Amino acid sequence: MTEHRDAEHAEQTGHPRRWLILGGLVFSLLVVVLDNTVLNVALKTMSEPKPKGLGASQSDLEWAINSYTLIFAGLLFTWGILADRLGRKRILMLGMVLFGLSSVLTAYAQTPGELIAARAAMGFSGAAIMPSTLAIIANVFPRREQGKAIGIWSGSVGLAIAIGPVVGGALLNNFWWGSVFLINVPIIVIAFVVMAVLLPESKNPKPGRLDPVGVLLEMAGLVLFVYGIIHAGDTGDWGNVTVWGSILLGAVLMAGFVFWELRTDHPALDVRLFSNRQFSAAVIAVALTFFAMMGGMFFFSFYLQSVRGYSPLMSGVFMLPFAVAMVVFAPLSATMVKRFGPRPVAVTGLLCIAAAMACYQFVTQSSAMWIYLLIAFIQGAAMANVMPPATTTVMTSLPRQIAGVGSSVNNTVRQLGGALGVAVLGTILTTAYRDRMQPLISHVDTQLTPDQVHSVSGSIEATQQMVAGAAASGHPQAQQLLQPANEAFVHAMHVTTVIGAAVMVLTALVVWLWLPKQVAAPVGMDASAKAESVAA
């Protein structure tokens, strides 16, 4: 009864301390987004030998990102249902406690395996934080203020993207690599205290049912599929049974997931939604935009630090133009969509992303840095003009009563697109680099076994560490590999970005064919549904 009266009061006038509550929610969301952007500048440091780093390989680092992302994406729906059933405040606070603990475990990981496992735990707990925040905003803010509140909430994502690399770089310049994860702890403590003191509990009187079979099929299929792709880059052998077998089994499990979801009356993900071409086109645009972004951020970190020799802090600063462009242009894109419609704006944005990725051919080991900064700014501005029209289409292509489902799908495919970007583009980068370096290393250092040659040709960091070790052991001839290694990495980066550009062109074609030129909001859509869809 008390909860009912609180909800009714919030519906009419809002919670008296709703803006302080919003501050706590922003902090809770900040750690989820900040964690991934901070990680990018720490990748090179973690690849270095102990005690400075973890000695992580290229595939280890890809899994450090993807173990978080895949678990996070796979459990978003489940945690949302649990929050509706058990209480949003309870689940949000549980998620924050678990996220803080798993952040500490990640910071003090002693091996790449421990790092990957701890990152998976962070993904598990982060998925509990995200779904509850929007539902809580809807519960404590009156309808007339929800748009503004969710605008502030979603703006924190842009803030985290902007400050994450700089904060991470500053920490790495002064502390060990684990400090980039410990930064989460004080933020979580502040948010937890605010939530504990101010936040009212709320539940959905008609919560959905859990779908454990669907969740297990989805996560197992995705993990196996991504494992096969990353393992292909690690082994350099697509014919290896563990490579194609994992990819095939992952695809079979995903097909089983679709089969199950079509037949259950409480699906974890209603795959019938994808029969709507407008919805599918918008979701594809979201997923592949993040495919390009996350895949690019993964290897550009190595370009800045390993090839150009910049410190982690300067590498973070060089990532700012991309984030700033997103923050500046995202609010302006709504006006463009209103004037021209979602299809022209989204297609133009996708083609500009493709052009930006193609222009990375002009970025070399000695090119002026303003070229890189300009291209990154253009890519960020282009991304900012894809997400709003895509999200608008997701909202308007679905009935009003399931607008929240569209929002959840948006969040999920965004994470999955990023995971595939790191896996696919990372594997292409590794393959192109190894093809150049493997024969050179075999020729220069004939003392290495074939397995050792394969290992040190897997990434520029491994090659540089081998050269440093050989020089320290009295074999200075290995120094002649440094320049070819830089050239091979830049070549691999060019190959990867061209393929990424081609993917974005194909995405633009799908969007042009399937997305409507103009989309009107469904009749009866209320302000909270609109605001939620924009935030997603």
Side-chain angles (χ1 to χ4, degrees):
M1 181 66 71
T2 301
E3 290 179 4
H4 176 74
R5 286 199 303 267
D6 288 343
E8 185 177 355
H9 177 71
E11 177 73 20
Q12 296 172 357
T13 63
H15 192 281
R17 290 175 289 185
R18 56 193 177 277
W19 296 106
L20 287 175
I21 292 172
L22 179 62
L25 294 175
V26 165
F27 266 81
S28 65
L29 179 66
L30 194 63
V31 292
V32 175
V33 181
L34 187 70
D35 178 70
N36 275 332
T37 57
V38 163
L39 177 62
N40 281 296
V41 295
L43 293 173
K44 174 176 167 53
T45 304
M46 289 190 291
S47 72
E48 295 176 2
K50 292 182 177 181
K52 185 176 182 180
L54 278 177
S57 67
Q58 187 99 341
S59 61
D60 290 333
L61 295 175
E62 291 177 44
W63 275 116
I65 295 173
N66 283 343
S67 63
Y68 175 95
T69 305
L70 291 172
I71 299 297
F72 185 96
L75 291 176
L76 270 175
F77 284 96
T78 300
W79 276 117
I81 293 172
L82 286 173
D84 286 344
R85 182 181 296 274
L86 302 177
R88 291 151 185 157
K89 176 180 178 178
R90 184 176 289 113
I91 293 299
L92 176 61
M93 296 183 71
L94 173 64
M96 288 192 291
V97 170
L98 294 177
F99 199 86
L101 292 174
S102 54
S103 295
V104 173
L105 290 175
T106 305
Y108 290 101
Q110 298 299 307
T111 65
E114 290 179 8
L115 173 71
I116 293 167
R119 287 281 296 166
M122 291 181 74
F124 176 86
S125 49
I129 296 173
M130 180 71 79
S132 297
T133 53
L134 277 174
I136 289 170
I137 288 174
N139 186 62
V140 300
F141 280 88
R143 291 287 176 87
R144 66 180 185 278
E145 293 179 348
Q146 285 179 11
K148 181 179 180 181
I150 295 177
I152 295 172
W153 176 89
S154 58
S156 65
V157 175
L159 177 65
I161 291 173
I163 68 173
V166 178
V167 170
L171 289 169
L172 289 169
N173 270 16
N174 296 282
F175 306 101
W176 96 113
W177 65 266
S179 61
V180 302
F181 297 106
L182 287 185
I183 191 64
N184 294 335
V185 176
I187 300 175
I188 287 171
V189 169
I190 294 171
F192 187 89
V193 171
V194 173
M195 296 298 99
V197 173
L198 300 178
L199 188 63
E201 184 59 280
S202 65
K203 298 179 182 179
N204 186 339
K206 297 180 180 179
R209 294 170 60 192
L210 298 176
D211 179 20
V213 174
V215 170
L216 289 174
L217 284 171
E218 177 193 22
M219 293 180 63
L222 287 170
V223 169
L224 281 169
F225 187 81
V226 170
Y227 171 80
I229 294 172
I230 294 177
H231 194 49
D234 198 30
T235 61
D237 182 10
W238 285 90
N240 190 312
V241 65
T242 58
V243 171
W244 62 260
S246 296
I247 293 174
L248 179 61
L249 182 56
V252 169
L253 287 175
M254 288 303 296
F257 166 74
V258 173
F259 180 84
W260 171 263
E261 297 300 278
L262 287 172
R263 282 154 182 79
T264 182
D265 59 358
H266 52 282
L269 172 62
D270 189 355
V271 295
R272 296 176 185 84
L273 296 175
F274 292 93
S275 63
N276 183 322
R277 292 200 310 173
Q278 296 179 17
F279 178 85
S280 295
V283 166
I284 288 170
V286 170
L288 293 182
T289 297
F290 272 79
F291 174 96
M293 184 190 81
M294 292 298 294
M297 290 182 74
F298 177 76
F299 57 77
F300 284 133
S301 176
F302 295 116
Y303 166 75
L304 292 169
Q305 295 185 54
S306 299
V307 176
R308 301 305 295 259
Y310 290 110
S311 68
L313 177 57
M314 283 305 300
S315 297
V317 171
F318 281 129
M319 293 181 181
L320 275 177
F322 176 87
V324 170
M326 289 191 65
V327 172
V328 170
F329 285 94
L332 301 177
S333 64
T335 303
M336 301 292 289
V337 172
K338 185 176 180 180
R339 181 173 180 181
F340 299 106
R343 185 175 71 187
V345 174
V347 169
T348 301
L350 289 166
L351 291 177
C352 286
I353 295 174
M357 296 197 76
C359 285
Y360 282 116
Q361 305 302 305
F362 300 108
V363 175
T364 68
Q365 58 181 315
S366 59
S367 58
M369 283 307 297
W370 67 263
I371 298 175
Y372 169 82
L373 296 174
L374 177 61
I375 297 171
F377 183 86
I378 293 171
Q379 184 178 351
M383 270 195 65
N385 283 283
V386 174
M387 301 307 294
T391 304
T392 298
T393 304
V394 167
M395 175 184 70
T396 56
S397 60
L398 298 178
R400 180 184 62 81
Q401 61 269 26
I402 59 171
V405 175
S407 173
S408 299
V409 171
N410 242 18
N411 280 319
T412 301
V413 300
R414 186 166 58 194
Q415 298 293 331
L416 295 180
L420 287 173
V422 172
V424 174
L425 297 183
T427 296
I428 294 169
L429 183 85
T430 299
T431 302
Y433 178 82
R434 178 176 281 127
D435 286 347
R436 282 283 183 100
M437 288 305 298
Q438 202 159 12
L440 292 175
I441 293 172
S442 299
H443 176 73
V444 171
D445 195 336
T446 56
Q447 303 301 312
L448 296 176
T449 66
D451 285 345
Q452 290 173 323
V453 171
H454 178 84
S455 178
V456 299
S457 65
S459 69
I460 188 171
E461 294 73 35
T463 305
Q464 289 175 344
Q465 290 163 23
M466 183 273 290
V467 170
S473 302
H475 296 78
Q477 73 275 13
Q479 292 282 345
Q480 62 187 280
L481 287 171
L482 289 178
Q483 179 61 20
N486 288 340
E487 293 172 354
F489 183 88
V490 171
H491 162 74
M493 185 176 73
H494 289 167
V495 170
T496 306
T497 50
V498 165
I499 292 174
V503 170
M504 300 315 295
V505 170
L506 291 175
T507 307
L509 178 61
V510 171
V511 170
W512 179 260
L513 293 174
W514 288 1
L515 219 62
K517 185 175 181 181
Q518 295 287 347
V519 178
V523 176
M525 173 167 281
D526 55 38
S528 63
K530 291 181 182 179
E532 182 177 349
S533 69
V534 170

